[in-house]
């Protein structure tokens, strides 16, 4: 594994990791939709992508809510890594693991690293749900201690990607190759809304990358749904079954081993 | 109308259901139980209820045969040799089922089917065909969803086949339990069970470690889950189940002190007295244990029979005497609930039956799930439907009650249909619930055709048939319809 398996933190390192602070948008103790099994989902606040169809626009700004004295702070809030672990810990008997998501968790790499290291060391394997904007090849502390990655491939073509998200996708594609080759990719995802970008080409290239590195990662093809999006995105077209089936066929044809329509 | 005439002319009953109904009417003509006026008053008030067992107990309510022994030795009475292949094995079981009595006239326990059939699974396709026909015949001829089969804790080929066929066939019968042990049950097998439960409301997950250690401590090598979710000693069963309706008992006490100091203990004593009397007739007068070939051939043993002390409506009783604190939400109310259960448990434990040897003559506590005519009475110690807290809190608040009920207590959870995409989610929650001390965990997806009513299963499609005034295969469908109307079982909080 080219990422290298970092050992779980020693006691001294744990103390340092536990004190790290980050912005947390929300913690969900039971989630059925953030990876395999029942997982706690920790959503970090702040995202550099500005996706047209963003489903959690409230998690984009890198801010925390102000708490008035003697009141519980509102979400999003500043928390230590220890605080996050403590919020999840009572539910550990019910969990397959934890998923750190966002916002974009890669925006706070040191905090992400602390969460992945602490949870993994406590026997709650951590999945990282990311848009791929952080250069993970440069972060063996995260990659080595995470149980796996779920990566969004918004669009293959850089021009389309920029139009869709306001950001370049060179890091996304580099991460796709790096994580798949390292055996760390568990899921690749593309949200489909007809006409927004060339989904055929994106799915074709994404599946091709999975096949090229022999990755067993699931390719999840997700129908655009208007729930949670900004007003401007409510009327984006929703794909019909035939479109989704066609994309799934493309992914399988290119060698993706596990393709799901969601 | 005369009750027999009502049965005879009921267009929604099959002939078989009418015959059972007429047997009931005939039994109730008898006046053989010596019931004192105090007991009778509580029975008339609906505080003590024998769940329509009938006026002259002539067979145990729940019979749990040692099917393993039957598979090894066959049956002299039935003229059967020990089975040698999957076809003989399934046929032998189906034959025996016809002769296993219970309160419903159908067997309430069909065996640990995976373990019974595994030795006969050679060619998998052939086994699948044989087991498929076996399950279909059970559903179509044992028309009562209190018929219950057990699986696990280990994964077997037979177990997988049964789960896969259960998912495919979408039958209400048999009810199914997976005996779950985190050390012995592999995660993929538990996940297959969870996926099956989302589609067909079964199997439920039983806490194998708790059941096994308790029944061993009582002197039984093995236990079975029968009927709704009743833990019982294998090779024995329960003579009777009588329940105390705490919701109806509550208003008989002026306050909490009176409830705890006199009203409750007196009612518990009267119920113990009534159970003793029902057991006396069954054991000493009915002749059941003297005449049954199941006893003669060692498939059941009189000394492995107990009786069940049931209770229902704890939530309503607590809410009536908790000064505004709400059961399932406020610690104060839950504390009162636990106090009531501990008091009942202590009193039941101190009573020794003169007729039963199992567990030193001590009865087994059972959190009864209710009957179809109950209104405003929550099953056992459950938090009322419509007031369920968030899932983790629900589990944590329910768990402390479960240890008191070796012969059954459980919770039912409805899940969002999208959980089907991730059955591991349900597996993890079930495993976590058992680890947190829950004894028994049932789940289904909110849109499934097969629905768990309180402990038993009903198909929505069969309910529709009954609502059109037509006869339905299972006698439990009618119970389900009433429970849906009276208890709101389709209104359970949906978890996602």
């Amino acid at each position: 594994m080219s990422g290298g398996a970092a050992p779980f933190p020693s006691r001294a390192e744990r103390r340092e990791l536990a004190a790290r602070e980050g912005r947390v948008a929300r913690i969900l103790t039971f989630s059925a939709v953030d990876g395999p099994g029942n997982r706690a989902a920790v959503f970090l606040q702040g995202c550099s992508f500005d996706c047209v169809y963003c489903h959690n626009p409230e998690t984009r700004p890198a801010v925390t809510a102000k708490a008035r004295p003697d009141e519980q702070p509102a979400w999003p809030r500043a928390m230590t890594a220890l605080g996050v672990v403590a919020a999840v810990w009572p539910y550990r008997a019910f969990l397959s693991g934890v998923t750190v998501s966002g916002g974009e968790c890669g925006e706070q790499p040191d905090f992400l690293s602390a969460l992945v290291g602490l949870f993994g060391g406590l026997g709650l394997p951590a999945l990282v749900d990311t848009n791929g904007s952080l250069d993970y090849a440069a972060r063996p502390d995260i990659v080595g201690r995470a149980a796996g990655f779920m990566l969004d491939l918004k669009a293959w073509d850089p021009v389309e990607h920029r139009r869709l998200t306001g950001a370049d996708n060179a890091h996304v594609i580099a991460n796709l190759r790096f994580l798949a080759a390292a055996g760390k990719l568990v899921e690749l995802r593309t949200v489909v809304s007809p006409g927004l970008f060339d989904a055929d080409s994106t799915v074709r290239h994404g599946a091709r990358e999975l096949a090229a590195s022999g990755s067993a990662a699931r390719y999840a093809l997700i129908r655009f749904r208007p729930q949670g999006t900004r007003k401007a995105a409510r009327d984006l077209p929703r794909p019909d079954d035939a479109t989704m089936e066609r994309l799934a066929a493309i992914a399988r044809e290119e060698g993706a081993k596990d393709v799901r329509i969601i | 109308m005369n009750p027999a005439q009502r049965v005879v002319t009921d267009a929604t009953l099959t002939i078989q259901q009418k015959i059972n109904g007429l047997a009931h009417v005939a039994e109730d003509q008898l006046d053989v139980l010596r019931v004192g006026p105090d007991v009778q008053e509580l029975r008339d008030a609906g505080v003590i209820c024998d769940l329509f067992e009938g006026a002259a107990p002539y067979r145990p309510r729940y019979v749990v045969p040692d099917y393993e022994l039957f598979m090894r030795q066959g049956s002299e009475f039935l003229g059967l040799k020990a089975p040698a292949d999957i076809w003989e094995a399934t046929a032998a079981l189906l034959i025996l089922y016809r002769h296993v009595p219970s309160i419903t006239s159908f067997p309430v326990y069909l065996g640990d089917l995976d373990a019974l059939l595994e030795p006969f699974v050679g060619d998998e396709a052939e086994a699948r065909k044989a087991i498929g026909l076996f399950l279909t015949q059970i559903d179509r001829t044992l028309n009562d969803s209190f018929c219950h089969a057990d699986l696990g804790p280990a994964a077997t080929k037979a177990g997988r086949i049964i789960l896969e066929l259960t998912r495919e066939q979408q039958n209400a019968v048999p009810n199914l339990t997976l005996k779950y042990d985190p050390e012995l049950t592999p995660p993929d097998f538990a996940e297959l069970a969870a996926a099956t439960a989302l589609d067909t409301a079964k199997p439920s997950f039983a806490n194998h470690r708790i059941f096994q250690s308790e029944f061993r401590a009582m002197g039984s090598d093995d236990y079975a889950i029968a009927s709704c979710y009743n833990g019982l000693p294998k090779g024995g069963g329960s003579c009777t189940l009588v329940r105390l309706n705490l919701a109806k008992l509550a208003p008989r006490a002026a306050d909490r002190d009176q409830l705890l100091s006199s009203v409750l203990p007196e009612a518990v004593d009267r119920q113990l007295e009534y159970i003793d009397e029902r057991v006396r007739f069954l054991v000493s007068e009915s002749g059941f244990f003297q005449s049954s070939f199941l006893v003669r051939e060692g498939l059941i043993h009189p000394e492995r029979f107990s009786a069940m002390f049931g209770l229902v409506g704890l939530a309503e009783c607590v809410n009536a005497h908790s000064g505004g604190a709400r059961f399932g939400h406020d610690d104060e109310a839950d504390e009162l609930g636990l106090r009531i259960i501990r008091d009942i448990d202590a009193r039941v434990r101190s009573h020794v039956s003169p007729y039963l040897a199992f567990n030193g003559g001590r009865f087994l506590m059972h959190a009864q799930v209710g009957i179809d005519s109950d209104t405003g009475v929550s099953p056992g110690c459950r938090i009322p439907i419509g007031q369920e807290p968030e899932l983790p809190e629900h589990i944590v608040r329910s768990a402390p009650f479960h240890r008191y009920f070796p012969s059954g207590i459980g919770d039912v959870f409805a899940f969002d249909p999208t959980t089907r995409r991730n059955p591991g989610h349900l597996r993890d929650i079930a495993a976590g619930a058992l680890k947190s001390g829950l004894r028994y965990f049932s789940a289904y997806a909110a849109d499934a055709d097969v629905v768990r009513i309180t402990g038993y299963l009903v198909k929505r499609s069969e309910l529709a048939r009954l609502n059109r005034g037509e006869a339905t295969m299972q006698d439990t469908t009618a119970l389900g319809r009433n429970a849906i109307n009276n208890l709101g079982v389709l209104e359970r909080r949906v978890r996602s």
Side-chain angles (χ1 to χ4, degrees):
Chain A
M1 192 168 61
S2 56
F8 285 112
S10 65
R11 179 180 289 200
E13 194 194 348
R14 277 207 302 273
R15 202 167 304 132
E16 188 272 311
L17 296 179
R20 289 190 192 174
E21 271 201 46
R23 298 178 308 273
V24 179
R26 215 185 147 201
I27 298 173
L28 210 58
T29 44
F30 281 21
S31 171
V33 295
D34 290 286
N38 183 37
R39 312 188 75 81
V42 180
F43 301 94
L44 303 193
Q45 178 75 18
C47 179
S48 55
F49 282 14
D50 185 10
C51 302
V52 171
Y53 53 65
C54 180
H55 287 87
N56 307 93
E58 71 287 356
T59 65
R60 285 204 55 247
V63 296
T64 52
K66 288 227 161 54
R68 278 170 298 187
D70 67 80
E71 249 183 69
Q72 279 282 81
W75 300 106
R77 64 180 69 158
M79 292 180 83
T80 61
L82 181 64
V84 175
V85 171
V88 171
W89 191 242
Y91 304 98
R92 64 192 179 282
F94 298 87
L95 300 174
S96 270
V98 176
T99 298
V100 188
S101 180
E104 168 48 39
C105 59
E107 293 282 312
Q108 304 179 64
D110 294 338
F111 190 52
L112 171 62
S113 176
L115 294 176
V116 160
L118 290 173
F119 278 121
L122 290 167
L124 283 170
L127 291 177
V128 177
D129 179 349
T130 177
N131 66 16
S133 55
L134 173 69
D135 177 10
Y136 285 100
R139 295 302 300 240
D141 56 327
I142 298 172
V143 177
R145 287 170 175 171
F149 286 75
M150 299 188 285
L151 178 67
D152 284 349
L153 181 61
K154 314 271 188 191
W156 185 262
D157 180 80
V159 176
E160 280 182 345
H161 193 273
R162 187 168 285 283
R163 204 172 58 225
L164 192 59
T165 70
D168 185 64
N169 67 357
H171 275 314
V172 179
I173 291 169
N175 278 321
L176 168 55
R177 288 177 181 146
F178 167 68
L179 294 170
K184 283 284 187 175
L185 191 65
V186 296
E187 187 172 283
L188 183 66
R189 292 158 336 179
T190 298
V191 174
V192 178
S193 173
L196 205 56
F197 64 100
D198 187 344
D200 289 34
S201 158
T202 299
V203 170
R204 189 177 303 283
H205 280 98
R208 210 174 269 173
E209 292 297 333
L210 295 181
S213 54
S215 170
R218 167 182 299 178
Y219 198 162
L221 303 171
I222 305 171
R223 289 183 177 86
F224 166 73
R225 293 177 178 82
Q227 288 87 348
T229 61
R230 283 170 290 212
K231 227 180 207 155
R234 302 266 153 88
D235 296 326
L236 286 175
R238 301 167 72 170
D240 56 16
D241 289 348
T243 304
M244 298 308 288
E245 289 299 342
R246 193 187 70 243
L247 292 170
I250 292 173
R252 288 193 195 98
E253 200 179 281
E254 292 294 337
K257 291 189 179 112
D258 179 8
V259 181
R260 300 279 173 102
I261 297 170
I262 292 171
Chain B
M1 202 189 289
N2 171 303
Q5 192 180 348
R6 198 181 313 134
V7 171
V8 166
T9 56
D10 188 337
T12 66
L13 298 179
T14 64
I15 289 298
Q16 196 184 21
Q17 288 159 4
K18 287 184 182 183
I19 292 169
N20 285 340
L22 285 172
H24 235 288
V25 173
E27 183 186 345
D28 286 345
Q29 304 298 306
L30 303 175
D31 184 16
V32 295
L33 298 178
R34 304 177 205 137
V35 179
D38 295 353
V39 171
Q40 193 53 43
E41 193 271 319
L42 287 169
R43 287 187 67 211
D44 293 342
V47 174
I48 291 177
C49 168
D50 62 29
L51 311 164
F52 314 111
E53 271 185 14
Y58 58 99
R59 73 288 196 214
R61 184 181 182 95
Y62 301 125
V63 173
V64 178
D66 182 348
Y67 290 108
E68 285 80 3
L69 179 64
F70 169 71
M71 295 301 254
R72 286 199 301 275
Q73 71 183 18
S75 167
E76 198 190 322
F77 181 79
L78 297 173
L80 292 173
K81 282 191 289 216
D85 63 28
I86 189 75
W87 300 101
E88 288 183 9
T90 49
L93 286 169
L94 289 168
I95 292 167
L96 182 55
Y97 293 155
R98 182 73 180 77
H99 301 274
V100 175
S102 85
I103 197 64
T104 61
S105 305
F106 297 102
V108 292
Y109 170 63
L110 305 179
D112 287 54
L113 286 184
D114 51 351
L116 292 171
L117 297 177
E118 183 70 4
F120 305 102
V121 175
D123 176 58
E124 217 167 306
E126 189 184 14
R128 188 173 293 268
K129 184 169 185 191
I131 295 172
L133 288 168
F134 172 71
L135 292 174
T136 302
Q137 181 158 351
I138 287 173
D139 180 67
R140 305 300 195 275
T141 63
L142 304 178
N143 312 114
D144 181 286
S145 58
F146 295 113
C147 294
H148 202 128
D150 298 352
L151 302 174
T156 54
K157 266 187 269 176
R160 280 181 208 282
I161 291 171
I162 290 167
L163 286 173
E164 284 161 12
L165 287 167
T166 296
R167 210 170 163 190
E168 220 170 280
Q169 294 181 341
Q170 295 283 313
N171 290 329
V173 183
N175 204 339
L176 269 182
T177 289
L178 172 67
K179 294 175 169 179
Y180 177 85
D181 182 326
E183 297 288 312
L184 304 175
T185 312
D188 64 329
F189 190 60
E191 186 166 330
L192 174 62
T196 307
L198 287 169
D199 283 343
T200 57
K202 57 185 173 176
S204 299
F205 292 75
N207 197 324
H208 181 64
R209 287 185 170 182
I210 291 187
F211 275 113
Q212 193 182 45
S213 66
E214 283 172 350
F215 277 90
R216 279 190 179 157
M218 291 184 234
S220 179
D221 292 342
D222 203 0
Y223 72 98
I225 304 295
S227 193
C228 283
Y229 52 38
N230 312 353
L232 291 167
K234 200 174 269 185
S238 176
C239 293
T240 180
L241 163 59
V242 180
R243 75 168 198 190
L244 191 61
N245 187 333
L246 296 169
K248 287 201 171 164
L249 186 69
R252 298 166 76 98
D255 55 28
R256 182 188 157 137
D257 285 344
Q258 199 193 5
L259 177 75
L260 293 171
S261 64
S262 62
V263 172
L264 180 65
E266 279 163 27
V268 169
D269 287 351
R270 294 296 81 74
Q271 177 156 310
L272 288 166
E273 189 184 321
Y274 185 54
I275 294 175
D276 275 340
E277 175 58 11
R278 297 191 64 85
V279 173
R280 180 196 65 78
F281 184 82
L282 177 72
V283 170
S284 311
E285 293 199 38
S286 78
F288 173 81
F289 289 108
Q290 289 73 40
S291 62
S292 169
F293 78 95
L294 297 171
V295 177
R296 213 162 48 241
E297 300 190 2
L299 301 182
I300 56 174
H301 302 267
E303 68 276 12
R304 290 190 205 162
F305 275 81
S306 187
M308 289 153 70
F309 187 103
L311 57 87
V312 71
L314 177 66
E316 288 74 18
C317 180
V318 167
N319 289 343
H321 288 288
S322 59
R326 222 158 38 116
F327 183 74
H329 294 267
D330 302 318
D331 292 349
E332 216 184 310
D334 290 2
E335 266 310 310
L336 176 58
L338 273 173
R339 167 78 200 276
I340 291 170
I341 297 303
R342 275 194 218 108
D343 283 6
I344 296 175
D345 181 58
R347 227 167 168 85
V348 171
R349 268 172 198 277
S350 67
H351 177 80
V352 174
S353 159
Y355 310 103
L356 297 174
F358 183 74
N359 194 28
R362 270 116 185 142
F363 300 151
L364 305 176
M365 292 260 285
H366 173 78
Q368 204 264 331
V369 290
I371 47 177
D372 61 318
S373 54
D374 285 337
T375 49
V377 184
S378 292
C381 305
R382 279 186 202 158
I383 299 167
I385 289 175
Q387 299 177 25
E388 303 108 311
E390 294 282 343
L391 189 52
E393 193 191 350
H394 192 146
I395 290 166
V396 169
R397 287 196 177 271
S398 304
F401 294 93
H402 282 225
R403 52 186 295 222
Y404 297 99
F405 298 90
S407 74
I409 182 169
D411 268 293
V412 188
F413 299 93
F415 278 78
D416 189 280
T418 57
T419 309
R420 289 201 182 90
R421 288 192 207 123
N422 183 5
H425 173 72
L426 173 56
R427 174 206 57 206
D428 288 350
I429 290 173
L434 301 189
K435 200 170 176 185
S436 307
L438 238 60
R439 180 182 292 278
Y440 198 79
F441 178 99
S442 303
Y444 58 87
D447 65 347
D449 184 38
V450 181
V451 183
R452 186 166 297 271
I453 298 297
T454 48
Y456 57 97
L457 303 163
V458 161
K459 279 171 84 91
R460 287 183 216 251
S461 43
E462 285 281 290
L463 281 169
R465 202 190 266 191
L466 189 64
N467 285 334
R468 289 195 301 268
E470 298 166 22
T472 58
M473 254 187 342
Q474 272 100 29
D475 51 12
T476 25
T477 307
L479 301 182
R481 178 179 59 176
N482 298 341
I484 284 167
N485 295 335
N486 294 338
L487 291 171
V489 288
L490 297 184
E491 315 304 322
R492 283 192 186 106
R493 182 167 179 176
V494 177
R495 321 292 178 147
S496 56

